């Protein structure tokens, strides 16, 4: 399978705990994106990387959130001191980054439940 | 600000009937337009996209969409729906100056047997 993969698929945690999600993009895709999707809403952009550089962060990304893509391949999204409002589906996507805006391929998502 | 509006939260159509899902976007130069479908437990799958050229674009699964610049619309159509088309449909817009995609809130499609 050469699609975008995410791990874990589900995460249940208690309020105040830290969680980390991983995303493995399609091989050789330069761009990697994180989105958050709450129930009944479309995905909302959080941040994106071109190779290892984090080029844009949404205002939704509070200081409790941090994302990394250390070698320009996989990426991690960490949420510190989780709150119930963080409960959502966290989606990762990747694209080739060739030219202008191009098609983003999405992973299955990580569903986070904060109790 | 860039935005996408999908005015229909939920639509139910009979199997075999035609379908049109509405999408309007905020004004912007050279919009890149997308329709994605999301089935329960599945990731987002791209149905079709419009970058330039012919304003009527064909996608997978028999879907098509028409870009109308004068109306800032990009409506999705299918001449005859199948029960397997039941899912959530998202319209999205991007701009060449940015890499993020702005999604609408989605339209849930139910199919009546």
């Amino acid at each position: 399978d050469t699609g975008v993969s995410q791990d874990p698929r589900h995460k249940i945690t208690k309020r105040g705990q830290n969680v980390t999600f991983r995303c493995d993009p399609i091989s050789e895709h330069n761009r990697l994106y994180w989105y958050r999707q709450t129930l009944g809403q479309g995905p909302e952009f959080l941040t994106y990387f071109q190779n290892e550089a984090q080029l844009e962060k949404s205002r939704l990304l509070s200081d409790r959130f941090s994302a990394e893509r250390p070698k320009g391949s996989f990426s991690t999204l960490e949420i510190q001191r989780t709150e119930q409002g963080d409960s959502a589906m966290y989606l990762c996507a990747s694209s080739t980054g060739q030219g202008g805006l191009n098609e983003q391929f999405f992973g299955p998502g990580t569903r986070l439940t904060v109790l | 600000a860039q935005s996408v509006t999908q005015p229909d939260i939920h639509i139910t159509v009979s199997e075999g009937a035609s379908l049109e899902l509405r999408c309007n976007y905020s004004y912007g130069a050279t919009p890149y337009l997308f329709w994605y479908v999301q089935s329960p437990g599945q990731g987002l799958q791209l149905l079709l996209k419009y970058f330039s050229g012919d304003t009527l674009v064909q996608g997978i699964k028999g879907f098509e969409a028409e870009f109308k610049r004068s109306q800032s619309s990009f409506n999705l159509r299918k001449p005859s729906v199948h029960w397997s088309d039941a899912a959530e449909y998202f319209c999205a817009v991007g701009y060449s100056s940015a890499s993020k995609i702005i999604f609408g809130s989605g339209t849930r499609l139910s199919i009546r047997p």
Side-chain angles (χ1 to χ4, degrees), chain B residues 39-50:
Chain B
S39 299
Q42 303 294 315
L44 285 158
Q45 182 182 22
L46 182 70
L47 286 175
L48 48 79
K49 59 188 176 185
Y50 171 78

Side-chain angles (χ1 to χ4, degrees), chain A residues 9 31 33 35 37 40-45 48 50 56 89 91 100-109, chain B residues 32 34 36 38 41-44 46 49 51 88 90 93-96 98-106:
Chain A
R9 294 290 304 275
R31 292 182 179 170
Y33 313 78
Y35 293 82
Q37 185 178 20
Q41 298 297 317
E44 297 173 293
F45 171 79
Y48 106 91
Q50 173 124 350
E56 187 174 354
M89 177 77 84
L91 298 168
L101 188 67
N102 45 66
E103 178 181 348
Q104 296 181 18
F105 294 83
F106 283 81
Chain B
Y32 293 65
F34 308 87
Y36 282 86
Q38 187 176 40
Q42 303 294 315
L44 285 158
L46 182 70
K49 59 188 176 185
F51 288 172
E88 189 90 20
F90 294 96
V93 64
Y95 295 88
S96 57
S99 284
K100 64 186 177 186
I101 292 178
I102 308 297
F103 285 84
S105 56

Side-chain angles (χ1 to χ4, degrees), chain A:
Chain A
D1 186 7
T2 58
V4 178
S5 61
Q6 294 186 245
D7 184 71
R9 294 290 304 275
H10 304 273
K11 179 70 176 179
I12 299 174
T13 191
K14 293 182 179 180
R15 188 177 54 185
Q17 298 294 305
N18 299 342
V19 295
T20 300
F21 310 141
R22 175 179 171 125
C23 170
D24 287 89
I26 293 172
S27 178
E28 299 179 354
H29 274 192
N30 296 327
R31 292 182 179 170
L32 186 148
Y33 313 78
W34 286 100
Y35 293 82
R36 181 174 68 186
Q37 185 178 20
T38 54
L39 199 62
Q41 298 297 317
E44 297 173 293
F45 171 79
L46 292 179
T47 188
Y48 106 91
F49 293 83
Q50 173 124 350
N51 299 313
E52 64 274 11
Q54 188 173 19
L55 296 187
E56 187 174 354
K57 294 188 341 182
S58 164
R59 289 170 295 179
L60 294 174
L61 214 64
S62 76
D63 56 6
R64 295 186 297 105
F65 288 70
S66 62
E68 295 182 342
R69 193 182 184 198
K71 297 183 179 179
S73 57
F74 73 92
S75 174
T76 58
L77 177 68
E78 181 183 16
I79 308 175
Q80 296 182 326
R81 305 181 303 282
T82 53
E83 302 172 356
Q84 288 185 326
D86 297 331
S87 295
M89 177 77 84
Y90 290 84
L91 298 168
C92 176
S94 69
S95 70
T96 62
Q98 300 296 319
L101 188 67
N102 45 66
E103 178 181 348
Q104 296 181 18
F105 294 83
F106 283 81
T110 295
R111 181 170 296 284
L112 173 66
T113 302
V114 181
L115 302 176

Side-chain angles (χ1 to χ4, degrees), chain B:
Chain B
Q2 304 158 1
S3 65
V4 179
T5 302
Q6 293 182 249
D8 303 306
I9 296 173
H10 184 205
I11 285 181
T12 300
V13 299
S14 298
E15 190 169 17
S18 63
L19 170 71
E20 182 169 25
L21 302 182
R22 296 181 291 166
C23 172
N24 292 93
Y25 64 94
S26 63
Y27 174 78
T30 319
Y32 293 65
L33 296 160
F34 308 87
W35 275 98
Y36 282 86
V37 60
Q38 187 176 40
S39 299
Q42 303 294 315
L44 285 158
Q45 182 182 22
L46 182 70
L47 286 175
L48 48 79
K49 59 188 176 185
Y50 171 78
F51 288 172
S52 64
D54 192 346
T55 57
L56 183 64
V57 294
Q58 303 296 321
I60 62 171
K61 304 185 179 184
F63 285 93
E64 67 177 27
E66 186 172 11
F67 170 59
K68 293 185 177 180
R69 184 183 294 276
S70 61
Q71 298 176 19
S72 297
S73 69
F74 189 56
N75 294 348
L76 181 72
R77 300 194 293 250
K78 187 170 184 177
S80 176
V81 298
H82 186 262
W83 65 266
S84 61
D85 293 326
E88 189 90 20
Y89 290 80
F90 294 96
C91 181
V93 64
Y95 295 88
S96 57
S97 61
S99 284
K100 64 186 177 186
I101 292 178
I102 308 297
F103 285 84
S105 56
T107 297
R108 184 161 62 94
L109 174 65
S110 298
I111 306 298
R112 189 185 302 118

